[in-house]
Amino acid sequence: MQCSWLHSGPQLWLQCVHRQVKVTAGKLREEHRGWLLTVDPVSHSVALVSFGEDGASVRVVLGHAVEHVEVLQEPDPDTEERLRSLLPPPETGGPDPDERRRRRSGVRRWLQQNRVPVEEDGNELRVARVLTIRAPYRPDDCSSANQIILDRVQRLLRVQPDPVPDSDPVLEISQAPEIAPGLDGPIPPGH
Amino acid sequence: MSLNMATPVPVLRLPKGPDPNSRGFDPNSPRFIALCRTSIPTSAAAESDPQQLQEEQHARSVLRERFLRCLLAMSNKKVRFHMHEKVNVEATFGASDIDVLNFQVSDLHTPIGVQKEALIRSQDVISFTFDV
């Protein structure tokens, strides 16, 4: 199947993803074969992957150099699996609802301890009404139009200590490290 | 009689700055038109049909996200650039700009030596490869 590559739309390119293609590039008409990873809609660059004994190597042919693209064949199930694991799609599902609720309250409490105004909104956390944190509430799950707040909250989430399993405020205090009375630090000699 | 000459100060001639009359981000400036290939516009069919438009936009965003993940996988790895006239150079990939016009690399091995930091124009590159 041949396609006039540069003029076809993104929908056609998306259909051709994971198929084996042959790209002719440059004035010397070099041919490159590989499994199509993606086509960049901005620069028309074609990303191909080929599997060798040592692992996979990716070749990106710049859009301005692409002369011709020919689709060769569909991938077999093994190759399809390998291709899928190369560029993992963003996680859409999440952990089960209880786990999600636990994580959400853990993150909310951590942010509140750090004086960040946060409220729960269904499955999401909303910070100062400008930043949203989706499940599973990791730094990468934050989205906001405000770059400064985004950076601050991401940094906080990155240093969040491992959550104490399902504790209420009373228990949290009792789990604080024991400070033996009278020991304020190393006792200087002579005292 | 001793000559009391002041030590001559070397004169630093800085390169000429950008043209003060043109703004770099002006979409009608000759530089922008010449260098910035705009991403492909929406197809005529999609412009008239909102359903088609939505599908096309979805396809564009999926493809672009995959490409960005590809670039992310490349950062700080050794990349081989295949350029015109069969010139092949190796460097450590740093970043690309939003329009994929320039690549920032470190430790560029060129035939005349190793450049610690360099900017490679995408028009000079035919393709580049890296190992995952």
Side-chain angles (χ1 to χ4, degrees), chain A residues 37-38 40 56 58-60 64, chain B residues 64 66 122 127-128 130 132:
Chain A
L37 264 185
T38 184
D40 179 31
V58 177
R59 177 184 290 272
V60 178
H64 66 82
Chain B
R64 177 70 172 172
R66 287 173 69 92
S122 68
S127 70
F128 54 93
F130 65 99
V132 170

Side-chain angles (χ1 to χ4, degrees), chain A residues 37 49-50 54-58 86, chain B residues 70 73 77 130-132:
Chain A
L37 264 185
V49 63
S50 29
D54 307 326
S57 86
V58 177
L86 267 183
Chain B
C70 210
K77 290 221 174 88
F130 65 99
D131 297 320
V132 170

Side-chain angles (χ1 to χ4, degrees), chain A residues 102-164:
Chain A
R102 249 189 304 248
R103 283 189 68 105
R104 191 168 60 237
S105 7
V107 170
R108 178 176 50 80
R109 247 175 285 146
W110 172 243
L111 290 175
Q112 282 170 341
Q113 276 172 12
N114 285 277
R115 308 281 187 265
V116 174
V118 55
E119 340 173 290
E120 290 197 28
D121 181 6
N123 270 339
E124 299 172 338
L125 287 170
R126 218 166 289 277
V127 172
R129 276 180 273 149
V130 291
L131 185 143
T132 309
I133 317 181
R134 301 178 304 270
Y137 316 108
R138 297 162 307 189
D140 283 338
D141 301 312
C142 302
S143 51
S144 171
N146 186 316
Q147 203 144 330
I148 298 183
I149 295 190
L150 180 67
D151 188 48
R152 291 258 174 94
V153 171
Q154 279 181 326
R155 274 179 215 252
L156 265 179
L157 289 180
R158 263 177 221 131
V159 297
Q160 178 180 4
D162 282 325
V164 179

Side-chain angles (χ1 to χ4, degrees), chain A residues 98-99 101-107 109 113 160-176:
Chain A
D98 285 327
E99 175 67 32
R101 189 176 38 82
R102 249 189 304 248
R103 283 189 68 105
R104 191 168 60 237
S105 7
V107 170
R109 247 175 285 146
Q113 276 172 12
Q160 178 180 4
D162 282 325
V164 179
D166 236 357
S167 47
D168 55 54
V170 175
L171 277 173
E172 272 177 7
I173 295 170
S174 72
Q175 275 164 12

